[in-house]
Amino acid sequence: MISLWTVLILICYPSRGLLTVAYTLEDEQNLQTALLSGYSKGLRPGRDRSFPMTLNMSFGLLSIKEFDLNTGKFSLTGVFQLNWIDERLSWNPANYNQTNSTVISQSLLWLPDLINVNPYEEITGLRLGLSMIVESTGLCNWYAIQTFETVCDTDVTNYPFDTQICSLRFYVWSYEPTDIDVVFVAPKVVLDLYSENGIWEIQDSATYTKINVYNYKEIIVDLFLKRRTSYYVVSLILPLIFIAFLMGFVFLLPADSGERVGFSTTVLLSIVVYLTIIQDILPESSEPNVSTLGFILVTFVVNGSFVVIAVIISLRIQSQSCQKAVPLCINRVALYLRRRRKTKDMVEPLDTKSELNYEDEEEKVTWHEVAKCFDMFCFILLQIFFFVTSTSYLIIVNT
């Protein structure tokens, strides 16, 4: 079976590459005239019709042209390499001055009708190919190069750390399974001439056939794609994480600075902008799953809304009149926190710690002290929420 590199050499060097040949133009012309005389390209090869004709096949990927997650359009350029035996095209090389092979236009010979059954737009056949290389044994080598546009069902659950499986699916049209037997000679896609894509990395591939529910053999080429994440980590994930991390620090701003509400709403709007960007990139479908990153962003938006509310509540506590008594339950909590703080701040010998005097425990706390305790509680709670949410997301997308 001739490799992809060989066919390129044959294209670049019409005189069969760098090999020295003895036959002349007249020899090859006489050969093709004899081969095509009475040849019917509408009849499949194979003298014994009780046995299927074997169609050997392999697929070489040249480039990934486009992959649109919104529409599911997957476009790639590749080469199908097919060969089969056509007894009508065999000859004795000695009769034609040792002519062992010839190149014949594909429009003059029989070709298998391979139809793409999962196209993005119109159903197309595999017809765009190079001229066919025919050997003296009757072996026909056909290289069909084409840009294929197919529908690829995307799963954006782990975006932008997602992997996708996209397939090319073909049928041999107009023939029963007993007429043609398709066999892949290579279990994977040939990547010798592949040009790397800047967004998608090919993790694995598979080429195989299977019998569908209608008892027809389906030709399948699977590509397992993994997104290159460096760009998304730098431009999306890290900025989002740092913006969400800043959310809790609004409670460390002095209340009399007048910047708390503006700070919290600015951070909230920044997260909303990222949510809008993600919604523009990802498809609108909910199957099989919605992006985990979308859920995280919505969680951050809801969290930011509660932060704005908590900031307003904190400012309201700060502005309470000194004559207004602090409720007893709040007063007890504030006294407990004050006692804990003083215990940590005081440095006394071990034998005198039992004699610590908490005469101020019965003192009444002020609304200003209540507001400070509320701010510290909100800050700690937000940092715990941030680390739990971020860690959970990273665990989910890496499992």
Side-chain angles (χ1 to χ4, degrees), residues 56-261:
N56 297 311
M57 179 183 298
S58 64
F59 180 76
L61 182 63
L62 301 181
S63 64
I64 296 176
K65 184 178 178 182
E66 180 184 1
F67 190 8
D68 192 337
L69 294 181
N70 280 295
T71 60
K73 179 182 179 181
F74 181 58
S75 177
L76 59 88
T77 302
V79 178
F80 271 103
Q81 180 182 358
L82 305 96
N83 65 44
W84 61 91
I85 297 292
D86 192 339
E87 299 88 346
R88 298 169 295 178
L89 299 177
S90 61
W91 70 89
N92 185 358
N95 296 335
Y96 298 95
N97 198 14
Q98 300 303 321
T99 305
N100 293 311
S101 64
T102 184
V103 178
I104 304 176
S105 173
Q106 66 175 27
S107 61
L108 301 176
L109 301 179
W110 177 89
L111 295 176
D113 292 323
L114 289 177
I115 303 299
N116 184 5
V117 293
N118 64 332
Y120 179 73
E121 291 182 347
E122 298 180 358
I123 295 179
T124 57
L126 191 64
R127 284 297 181 184
L128 179 60
L130 307 175
S131 295
M132 191 177 300
I133 303 171
V134 182
E135 300 180 16
S136 60
T137 57
L139 180 64
C140 300
N141 295 282
W142 185 40
Y143 299 85
I145 182 170
Q146 195 166 326
T147 297
F148 304 96
E149 294 183 353
T150 66
V151 175
C152 181
D153 296 328
T154 57
D155 182 4
V156 293
T157 305
N158 296 331
Y159 177 88
F161 303 96
D162 54 323
T163 57
Q164 307 292 340
I165 302 177
C166 295
S167 302
L168 292 175
R169 297 168 51 205
F170 288 84
Y171 284 145
V172 179
W173 205 254
S174 304
Y175 292 98
E176 297 293 331
T178 55
D179 294 332
I180 296 179
D181 182 25
V182 180
V183 177
F184 270 107
V185 296
K188 295 182 181 295
V189 174
V190 180
L191 300 176
D192 295 342
L193 303 178
Y194 174 65
S195 299
E196 291 289 341
N197 185 268
I199 300 178
W200 297 99
E201 173 189 358
I202 298 180
Q203 279 191 314
D204 201 358
S205 63
T207 56
Y208 58 96
T209 61
K210 73 173 185 178
I211 304 299
N212 62 13
V213 294
Y214 301 106
N215 203 31
Y216 278 86
K217 181 172 285 190
E218 189 173 348
I219 303 164
I220 301 175
V221 177
D222 285 340
L223 292 175
F224 299 84
L225 307 175
K226 181 181 180 181
R227 188 186 299 273
R228 302 182 189 272
T229 58
S230 301
Y231 169 79
Y232 300 95
V233 169
V234 173
S235 63
L236 181 63
I237 301 299
L238 289 181
L240 177 62
I241 288 177
F242 282 109
I243 289 175
F245 179 67
L246 287 175
M247 182 70 73
F249 285 88
V250 66
F251 294 102
L252 299 185
L253 285 175
D256 55 1
S257 66
E259 298 295 333
R260 280 192 169 189
V261 176

Side-chain angles (χ1 to χ4, degrees), residues 16 24 30 41 60 101 110 119 142 169 205 213 217 262 293 318 347 360 366 369 376:
R16 306 298 186 270
T24 64
N30 293 334
K41 67 177 183 179
S101 64
W110 177 89
W142 185 40
R169 297 168 51 205
S205 63
V213 294
K217 181 172 285 190
L293 182 59
Q318 291 275 3
V347 180
D360 57 347
T366 63
E369 189 174 357
M376 187 55 60

